[in-house]
Amino acid sequence: MHGNERRKRLLQILSNNQNHPVSGTALAKQLQVSRQIIVQDIALLRANGAEIFSASRGYMMLPSIQSASRILKVFHADEDTEEEMTLIVDLGGSIQDVFVYHKVYGVVRADMDIRSRKDIHRFMDSIHSGTSSLLKNITAGYHYHTILADNEETLDGIQVRMAEKGLLAKLQDYEPVDFGKQS
């Protein structure tokens, strides 16, 4: 199978599994190539505009219904993490990623793919059962999320509710405005 054909098949596999991440190992086995080839193919597909992201459990395509996105700057204590995520998913959003803007390191980002309370519980169990800390802790609690939703009105509702709960933080002068261009 040639590269273009393999990448087309890769997109089909991910499209057919939009509700479940597919591991690089499983993709490699299915397409009879190495995992490194899958990583390279994913990079090429992303460069050509494919909405593929990496979650801790594998690769996923963003659902086509979630056409609106917004980056929100957030600040809260560790014990408020579950409440923050629950508020977002209960109001119809999903959390694509978490990232921090560090004055020395720049943008440090991690994919999350939180779409439901089940995903939240899985994430919280992972945090509580390990020795790792939340990414927000390297910037004293300040962090950002890319929130996805069906429409701008849903994002507006999430943003208003987060502001009411005191979870949103103000951008500082030194922070880049267009985080999408940072890597």
Side-chain angles (χ1 to χ4, degrees), residues 103-158:
K103 286 184 180 181
V104 175
Y105 300 118
V107 175
V108 179
R109 182 182 313 260
D111 291 321
M112 293 187 77
D113 185 36
I114 302 290
R115 299 171 189 231
S116 66
R117 284 182 178 232
K118 182 178 177 182
D119 292 338
I120 294 168
H121 292 300
R122 187 179 302 126
F123 175 83
M124 295 305 296
D125 287 346
S126 294
I127 289 294
H128 293 310
S129 67
T131 57
S132 297
S133 176
L134 295 165
L135 183 59
K136 71 178 192 62
N137 291 332
I138 69 169
T139 53
Y142 292 94
H143 60 290
Y144 309 82
H145 289 295
T146 304
I147 308 298
L148 306 173
D150 295 348
N151 53 57
E152 291 294 327
E153 293 77 24
T154 300
L155 291 173
D156 291 342
I158 291 168

Side-chain angles (χ1 to χ4, degrees), residues 1-11 41 44-45 48:
M1 180 181 315
H2 292 357
N4 287 336
E5 185 181 332
R6 185 181 59 248
R7 286 184 285 280
K8 184 177 178 182
R9 179 72 182 119
L10 182 57
L11 284 173
D41 282 349
L44 285 170
L45 289 167
N48 287 315

Side-chain angles (χ1 to χ4, degrees), residues 24-25 27-29 31-40:
T25 303
L27 290 167
K29 186 176 181 180
L31 297 171
Q32 299 177 348
V33 295
S34 70
R35 194 179 155 286
Q36 184 58 37
I37 295 294
I38 297 298
V39 170
Q40 292 170 355

Side-chain angles (χ1 to χ4, degrees), residues 31-128:
L31 297 171
Q32 299 177 348
V33 295
S34 70
R35 194 179 155 286
Q36 184 58 37
I37 295 294
I38 297 298
V39 170
Q40 292 170 355
D41 282 349
I42 294 288
L44 285 170
L45 289 167
R46 285 176 174 158
N48 287 315
E51 296 279 343
I52 301 170
F53 69 100
S54 314
S56 60
R57 299 172 307 274
Y59 295 104
M60 292 185 69
M61 291 191 67
L62 296 177
S64 56
I65 61 167
Q66 293 190 316
S67 59
S69 69
R70 187 173 299 170
I71 294 174
L72 299 178
K73 182 178 181 186
V74 185
F75 175 79
H76 58 76
D78 285 2
E79 56 269 14
D80 298 323
T81 300
E82 188 169 357
E83 178 185 12
E84 168 210 26
M85 293 190 295
T86 301
L87 184 152
I88 292 167
V89 299
D90 283 356
L91 291 174
S94 65
I95 306 164
Q96 178 179 350
D97 60 15
V98 60
F99 61 98
V100 296
Y101 178 71
H102 193 277
K103 286 184 180 181
V104 175
Y105 300 118
V107 175
V108 179
R109 182 182 313 260
D111 291 321
M112 293 187 77
D113 185 36
I114 302 290
R115 299 171 189 231
S116 66
R117 284 182 178 232
K118 182 178 177 182
D119 292 338
I120 294 168
H121 292 300
R122 187 179 302 126
F123 175 83
M124 295 305 296
D125 287 346
S126 294
I127 289 294
H128 293 310

